[in-house]
Amino acid sequence: MLLLISGALVFVVTAVVFWACLPRNGVTHRLVGTPWEPYVGVAFCSAIALSFTMMLSGALGLVGP
């Protein structure tokens, strides 16, 4: 159960951070066009993968013995 809740929490935090990085009023985020830009994309993808893996593991733990 703890993994399921933790995975959902990681997903929500990732969604909030992603929303905060979206362009506002035609102005892009300050990391766009810098050498750090690819790392930010990898971080978002890995956070989503981590959250779904944690939620799936938690759900399987609830169903299985």
Side-chain angles (χ1 to χ4, degrees), residues 21-54:
C21 289
L22 290 176
R24 305 255 187 259
N25 301 324
V27 179
T28 59
H29 193 266
R30 63 188 176 103
L31 291 176
V32 172
T34 66
W36 290 95
E37 183 179 9
Y39 298 111
V40 174
V42 169
F44 281 128
C45 289
S46 61
I48 294 294
L50 173 69
S51 68
F52 282 131
T53 302
M54 289 173 72

Side-chain angles (χ1 to χ4, degrees), residues 1-27:
M1 184 71 174
L2 183 61
L3 273 175
L4 186 64
I5 295 170
S6 299
L9 183 65
V10 169
F11 182 77
V12 169
V13 168
T14 303
V16 168
V17 172
F18 180 77
W19 178 80
C21 289
L22 290 176
R24 305 255 187 259
N25 301 324
V27 179

